[in-house]
Amino acid sequence: MARPIDVELRARLVLAATEAFARQGFGATTMTGVGAAAGVTKGGVYFHFRSKEELFFAVLDHWRGALRERLDRAAVGAASGAAALVATLRAFLALHVESPAGARLLRVLTGELQDRLTAAIRADAREEHRALRARLRDALIQGGRDGSAFAGDPVLASFLLAASVLGLVDQWLAAPRDVEPFLDPAGLAEALAAPWLTGREPDRRGDEGAHPFVPPAGPLAPRD
């Protein structure tokens, strides 16, 4: 009878490997070291993961799943498109700030492992970016309908916002001392969303009766 997977141990291995890959990179991380950090032998690691590469991508999948779950929760119950937009940006930044080791995995993936990426892995990474842009686009479209946000081109606006949060994380990982004075997820989310927030009350007539609106002419006042 096959030995069953130890779910609790597998989770410990993923967390130990996250720290190891983030701190040492892919090349310097060993299965023996990961096992020692998780309290098992190298054989225990190989029982759960056939190779170091498989372990790395299991770790990456874990953190991507955590991010998707955080973003799903962020938009639930948002009172408006503007609220959903700010909540999504804040959740994205907050998870990376709270879990810097998980955030550093992306630098390992796009740096050290760039030449190892298969077409499937490249497609997976591209889908993650597309999913983020889709969430932001949907929030902007919702904001256009309820009067809380304005984007003449929601697709372009979502691209710019996604590029901004991804760039913020990348700058922070590259030069943490320069970025940390600005690293307030809630404040950054408000600042990034501000150009698209109208401050208008929703049009209660619904989509069919809603009239077109234009963004405010001057700078937006700080939002409470």
Side-chain angles (χ1 to χ4, degrees):
M1 182 176 179
R3 175 181 163 193
I5 293 293
D6 185 332
V7 176
E8 189 274 336
L9 173 56
R10 190 182 190 280
R12 290 209 319 271
L13 289 169
V14 166
L15 292 179
T18 298
E19 295 294 333
F21 286 129
R23 185 176 64 254
Q24 302 166 188
F26 183 85
T29 294
T30 66
M31 300 291 262
T32 300
V34 170
V40 297
T41 64
K42 180 170 68 172
V45 184
Y46 275 109
F47 175 77
H48 291 81
F49 303 99
R50 291 171 295 180
S51 67
K52 185 166 68 169
E53 190 166 284
E54 181 179 297
L55 174 59
F56 177 81
F57 287 111
V59 167
L60 194 64
D61 284 344
H62 168 78
W63 289 104
R64 283 175 169 168
L67 178 60
R68 286 192 293 269
E69 182 180 345
R70 178 73 70 93
L71 294 177
D72 285 343
R73 292 201 309 266
V76 172
S80 66
L85 180 66
V86 173
T88 298
L89 294 168
R90 182 174 62 244
F92 183 93
L93 291 168
L95 180 64
H96 287 81
V97 171
E98 294 165 12
S99 308
R104 290 191 186 98
L105 295 174
L106 296 179
R107 291 183 69 83
V108 176
L109 179 67
T110 58
E112 188 179 353
L113 295 183
Q114 179 66 29
D115 294 337
R116 296 188 184 209
L117 298 183
T118 65
I121 294 168
R122 289 180 190 277
D124 185 53
R126 185 169 62 242
E127 285 305 311
E128 288 296 316
H129 289 175
R130 286 178 173 174
L132 173 61
R133 294 197 299 269
R135 291 174 187 272
L136 298 171
R137 179 203 62 210
D138 290 348
L140 287 164
I141 291 173
Q142 179 187 346
R145 290 171 176 163
D146 64 31
S148 64
F150 175 87
D153 185 345
V155 173
L156 176 59
S158 64
F159 171 80
L160 294 173
L161 286 166
S164 295
V165 290
L166 289 166
L168 279 166
V169 171
D170 191 56
Q171 285 189 65
W172 172 51
L173 295 176
R177 290 186 180 180
D178 293 344
V179 177
E180 280 173 0
F182 307 98
L183 210 58
D184 169 28
L188 287 171
E190 289 279 354
L192 289 169
W196 285 278
L197 306 187
T198 67
R200 293 182 53 145
E201 288 297 316
D203 190 314
R204 304 299 182 186
R205 294 175 294 171
D207 293 348
E208 294 181 1
H211 56 77
F213 58 88
V214 296
L220 290 170
R223 292 170 60 85
D224 295 331

